[in-house]
């Protein structure tokens, strides 16, 4: 075993200081066995399968625990990729239980418990994990249960509803779904990125142009409103109060990652030069902004460690999404994998396995444990390890090439439109914050000023 307590390990600090060398990516077998320990440590943050606990979620949401609802949704996706690249099905039961328990009454990943912080991005992360299950051939639920593809469609269809695309800022999705939530007046890149990503994937999976049209429209909107510039820098978001002219230029790695992967699906689906160019540019921008010295870095918050718990999990998504993009747009393989290799080497160097416990850190560029631990940090390293194996794993299925998941073009049509919430918000409604990117000045700042100390 890698972190065994051999006499040597106990012999002295010197050895312990270098214990990070214990994880290795030298061979495929090394990557898999490293991933299996990192996955185990990740799952140790999950208690939803214990008596009296809620299946599907990580401890939270704040202040009940560190994690918002969306992060568990993201974690199931990370564990599906882990299963796909290693064949280790140890967690398949909890993954299935989680993804089915949280579907909500409309089978659309809008469970009432999370309404007060329900963003399009929160819903989108669960939808993308369901989509990944369909594309990966993850075991289908019993026919009486909701099916992976239909769940992903439900998320997409509810987000394509005209109600969610009001004319302010010329269209686009708002961050929050219910009108009463703090952040309803913000249109942001991650919400639109989830929608774009799912649209591109559903178009390819079902060979259906309707989804591709939405994806294309969303990309164009991002560029038109100034949330994505010529060089494919992606900015955080802007407010409807100002018709989105107040672009918050903070850059987060998952925004680039989500648009890169979606663009790769669009390229694969259309074969168009236009999408090939977009993929190429997005790879360059992602490496330039988020991989200084080829090591994943979160520029908006890492230097002074002002990252929120949410932000501490983005590196792993970027790794997995870049490597999945390689499967769909193989022409980027060399450029991407050269970077991910160096980055993963640094990632595992932040893991320690001494007598004080086994865990991975966050500041990968230091190549040493930095004292920062949590589910996000663990999921990042798992994502990095998986990303080295993803390009050679089987490519995402489509309905024609092995996918068995059953879809439903009507999924989401009976969903809650939150009309009941179009009344003045209660304090309870205001308490949630969903995926906290940056709290920005807005017309609401007087009312919600207490929240802007969060970053
Ligand atoms: C919960 O799932 C984990 C991972 O599969 C497993 O190790 C643990 O024993 C399970 N706990 C219970 C109470 O079933
Ligand atoms: C909603 O919260 C209640 C109370 O904590 C819990 O019993 C229930 O299982 C939760 N439902 C979901 C879908 O998480
Ligand atoms: C809002 O911005 C869009 C461009 O994003 C523009 O087309 C539209 O005219 C603007 N609307 C107003 C009322 O200024
Ligand atoms: C689309 O993806 C498949 C599966 O990875 C790959 O074999 C094919 O070459 C891709 N198509 C293009 C145009 O790159
Ligand atoms: C998916 O493929 C199956 C056969 O494998 C076919 O019966 C079904 O109609 C297809 N679904 C769609 C939406 O194309
Ligand atoms: C394509 O998808 C749309 C939107 O879900 C659906 O209404 C339409 O029937 C689908 N078309 C085909 C040919 O399956």
């Amino acid at each position: 075993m890698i972190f065994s307590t051999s006499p040597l390990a106990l012999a002295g600090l010197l050895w312990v200081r270098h214990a990070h060398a214990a994880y290795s990516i030298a061979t495929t077998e090394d990557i898999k066995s490293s991933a299996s320990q990192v996955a185990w440590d990740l799952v140790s943050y999950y208690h939803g399968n214990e008596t009296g606990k809620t299946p599907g979620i990580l401890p939270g949401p704040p202040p009940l625990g560190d994690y918002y609802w969306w992060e568990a949704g993201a974690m199931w996706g990370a564990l599906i990729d882990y299963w796909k690249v290693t064949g280790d099905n140890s967690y398949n039961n909890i993954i299935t239980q989680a993804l089915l328990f949280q579907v909500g009454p409309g089978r659309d990943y809008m469970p009432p418990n999370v309404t007060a912080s329900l963003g399009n991005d929160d819903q989108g992360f669960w939808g993308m994990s369901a989509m990944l299950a369909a594309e990966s051939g993850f075991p289908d639920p019993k026919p009486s249960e909701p099916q992976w593809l239909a769940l992903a469609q439900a998320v997409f269809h509810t987000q394509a509803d005209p109600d969610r695309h009001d004319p302010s800022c010329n269209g686009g999705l708002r961050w929050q779904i219910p009108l009463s939530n703090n952040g309803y007046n913000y249109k942001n890149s991650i919400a639109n990125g989830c929608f774009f990503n799912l649209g591109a994937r559903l178009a390819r999976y079902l060979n259906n142009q309707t989804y591709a049209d939405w994806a294309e429209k969303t990309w164009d909107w991002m560029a038109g409103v100034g949330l994505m510039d010529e060089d494919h820098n992606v900015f955080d978001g802007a407010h409807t109060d100002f018709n989105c002219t107040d672009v918050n230029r903070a850059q987060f790695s998952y925004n680039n990652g989500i648009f890169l992967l979606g663009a790769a699906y669009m390229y694969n689906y259309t074969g168009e030069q236009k999408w090939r160019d977009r993929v190429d540019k997005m790879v360059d921008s992602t490496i330039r902004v988020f991989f200084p010295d080829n090591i994943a870095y979160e520029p908006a918050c890492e230097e002074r460690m002002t990252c929120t718990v949410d932000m501490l999990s983005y590196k792993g998504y970027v790794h997995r999404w870049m490597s999945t993009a390689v499967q769909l747009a193989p022409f980027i393989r060399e450029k991407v994998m050269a970077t991910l290799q160096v980055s993963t080497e640094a990632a595992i160097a932040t893991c320690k396995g001494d007598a004080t416990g086994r865990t991975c850190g966050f500041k990968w560029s230091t190549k040493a444990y930095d004292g920062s631990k949590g589910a996000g940090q663990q999921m990042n390293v798992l994502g990095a390890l998986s990303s080295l194996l993803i390009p050679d794993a089987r490519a995402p299925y489509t309905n024609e090439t092995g996918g068995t998941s059953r879809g439903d073009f009507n999924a989401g049509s009976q969903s809650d439109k939150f009309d009941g919430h179009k009344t003045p918000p209660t304090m309870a409604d205001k308490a949630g914050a969903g995926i906290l990117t940056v709290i920005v000045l807005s017309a609401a700042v007087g009312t919600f000023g207490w929240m802007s100390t969060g970053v």
Side-chain angles (χ1 to χ4, degrees):
M1 295 305 287
I2 290 180
F3 284 122
S4 65
T5 41
S6 65
L8 191 61
L10 302 170
L13 266 175
L14 242 185
W15 194 90
V16 172
R17 277 174 65 96
H18 295 278
H20 57 69
Y23 282 148
S24 163
I25 58 171
T27 67
T28 300
E29 279 320 301
D30 288 350
I31 298 170
K32 288 184 182 175
S33 72
S34 302
S36 108
Q37 302 202 35
V38 175
W40 175 264
D41 294 345
L42 168 60
V43 171
S44 74
Y45 287 92
Y46 178 67
H47 301 288
N49 60 341
E50 293 165 14
T51 310
K53 297 288 169 63
T54 302
I57 61 172
L58 285 163
L64 298 177
D66 284 344
Y67 305 99
Y68 283 104
W69 177 71
W70 76 277
E71 192 160 343
M75 180 175 81
W76 306 120
L79 288 167
I80 290 171
D81 267 344
Y82 166 74
W83 159 75
K84 175 172 154 173
V85 298
T86 63
D88 178 2
N89 60 11
S90 312
Y91 307 117
N92 287 14
N93 287 341
I94 57 169
I95 296 169
T96 300
Q97 184 194 25
L99 286 175
L100 295 179
F101 194 83
Q102 291 295 326
V103 298
R107 297 185 163 195
D108 50 12
Y109 289 122
M110 299 196 290
N113 283 1
V114 302
T115 301
S117 68
L118 184 63
N120 283 296
D121 48 358
D122 303 72
Q123 186 197 18
F125 266 89
W126 284 87
M128 288 188 292
S129 290
M131 188 74 219
L132 182 62
E135 293 170 331
S136 305
F138 192 72
D140 289 319
K142 291 195 294 268
S144 58
E145 302 273 15
Q147 303 297 304
W148 308 135
L149 180 61
L151 286 165
Q153 285 176 295
V155 170
F156 184 86
H157 295 161
T158 59
Q159 298 192 347
D161 190 283
D163 269 13
R164 292 203 199 173
H165 293 263
D166 67 287
S168 66
C169 311
N170 218 18
L173 283 171
R174 290 168 181 263
W175 175 25
Q176 293 295 304
I177 300 170
L179 171 86
S180 49
N181 283 10
N182 186 22
Y184 184 75
N185 63 340
Y186 197 53
K187 290 198 172 179
N188 64 355
S189 294
I190 192 61
N192 287 281
C194 290
F195 183 60
F196 168 72
N197 184 290
L198 271 177
R201 293 164 77 167
L202 287 167
R204 175 179 174 275
Y205 191 97
L206 288 163
N207 191 23
N208 180 316
Q209 185 63 29
T210 307
Y211 296 102
D213 289 345
W214 268 110
E216 175 120 27
K217 193 172 159 175
T218 301
W219 180 285
D220 292 345
W221 176 80
M222 286 285 298
V225 78
L227 289 179
M228 188 192 297
D229 73 7
E230 282 286 296
D231 297 324
H232 290 17
N233 291 300
V234 184
F235 305 117
D236 192 67
H239 289 92
T240 54
D241 318 71
F242 305 106
N243 195 29
C244 291
T245 53
D246 63 331
V247 172
N248 178 324
R249 294 174 63 90
Q251 288 179 267
F252 291 98
S253 60
Y254 70 162
N255 284 326
N256 274 66
I258 212 163
F259 280 98
L260 169 61
L261 180 58
Y265 274 93
M266 287 300 284
Y267 166 67
N268 200 268
Y269 171 66
T270 64
E272 289 173 8
Q273 184 69 35
K274 175 174 78 182
W275 285 105
R276 186 184 164 113
D277 293 343
R278 289 171 173 178
V279 168
D280 213 21
K281 251 191 182 176
M282 194 58 95
V283 167
D284 290 345
S285 127
T286 305
I287 293 176
R288 183 181 68 245
V289 178
F290 302 102
F291 289 85
D293 300 320
N294 289 316
I295 297 172
Y297 182 76
E298 204 57 58
C301 65
E302 182 164 338
E303 194 183 338
R304 284 177 289 148
M305 273 309 274
T306 49
C307 300
T308 62
V309 169
D310 288 346
M311 296 169 193
L312 292 169
S313 72
Y314 299 166
K315 291 178 185 182
Y317 315 135
V318 173
H319 261 260
R320 285 167 43 233
W321 293 341
M322 288 173 86
S323 61
T324 306
V326 164
Q327 295 189 290
L328 299 153
F331 71 93
I332 61 173
R333 181 172 183 133
E334 269 176 46
K335 195 155 56 177
V336 166
M337 295 316 292
T339 294
L340 297 188
Q341 181 84 23
V342 174
S343 185
T344 306
E345 194 77 69
I348 58 171
T350 69
C351 303
K352 71 176 181 81
D354 61 26
T356 62
R358 189 176 75 190
T359 190
C360 297
F362 178 68
K363 277 176 167 276
W364 293 0
S365 59
T366 65
K367 301 185 188 174
Y369 180 59
D370 61 341
S372 172
K373 65 178 172 182
Q377 293 87 323
Q378 214 55 41
M379 185 157 50
N380 287 343
V381 178
L382 180 64
L385 290 163
S386 301
S387 75
L388 300 185
L389 302 175
I390 286 173
D392 293 318
R394 60 176 182 270
Y397 286 144
T398 69
N399 192 48
E400 305 277 296
T401 63
T404 57
S405 189
R406 294 287 300 274
D408 177 1
F409 288 116
N410 290 315
S413 58
Q414 302 302 315
S415 291
D416 187 353
K417 294 196 169 204
F418 294 103
D419 293 340
H421 289 261
K422 287 180 182 166
T423 51
T426 65
M427 271 325 281
D429 284 333
K430 290 177 192 168
I435 300 185
L436 207 56
T437 52
V438 198
I439 301 295
V440 241
L441 289 178
S442 75
V445 91
T447 322
F448 304 125
W450 55 276
M451 290 216 61
S452 52
T453 56
V455 178

